[in-house]
Amino acid sequence: MADLLDRVLFIRSTVPSTFPQLDLAAGHVDAYWQDECDLVGVAAGVLLVTEAGGVVTDLRGRPWQPGRSDILAAAPGVHPELLLLLQERDVH
């Protein structure tokens, strides 16, 4: 997260993971990501985000599917750049 702090305005952590996805689907936040996610926590949120026009992938950029270990859900204009930032984080 330290690598992202100079590029984003706000980072928060909350559980269960469905709540921040609801905020994303409603347009209150720009993105949500989680490492080691669980199906129960994210599946409903994924449906809501995609129905609201958001983009949902794993951290490799593949469309998210049940069983994937991580998730990035974001507004279409934010998703590509945030995906690159998160991938750079894994390289360092």
Side-chain angles (χ1 to χ4, degrees):
M1 272 201 256
D3 293 338
L4 297 176
L5 288 175
D6 62 348
R7 296 184 164 177
V8 300
L9 180 61
F10 180 69
I11 296 176
R12 88 175 159 178
S13 177
T14 184
V15 291
S17 56
T18 305
F19 291 162
Q21 291 181 82
L22 291 172
D23 282 341
L24 175 60
H28 299 298
V29 299
D30 294 323
Y32 165 81
W33 94 89
Q34 182 178 349
D35 293 309
E36 300 179 20
C37 61
D38 64 274
L39 178 62
V40 175
V42 297
V46 166
L47 176 62
L48 293 170
V49 169
T50 56
E51 288 296 313
V55 178
V56 183
T57 66
D58 63 15
L59 295 182
R60 292 182 179 174
R62 302 175 298 187
W64 186 85
Q65 296 179 1
R68 297 273 162 91
S69 63
D70 48 44
I71 186 171
L72 170 60
V78 173
H79 189 278
E81 186 173 355
L82 185 53
L83 179 61
L84 286 175
L85 289 171
L86 292 170
Q87 289 172 338
E88 288 174 7
R89 167 198 72 152
D90 291 336
V91 171
H92 297 181

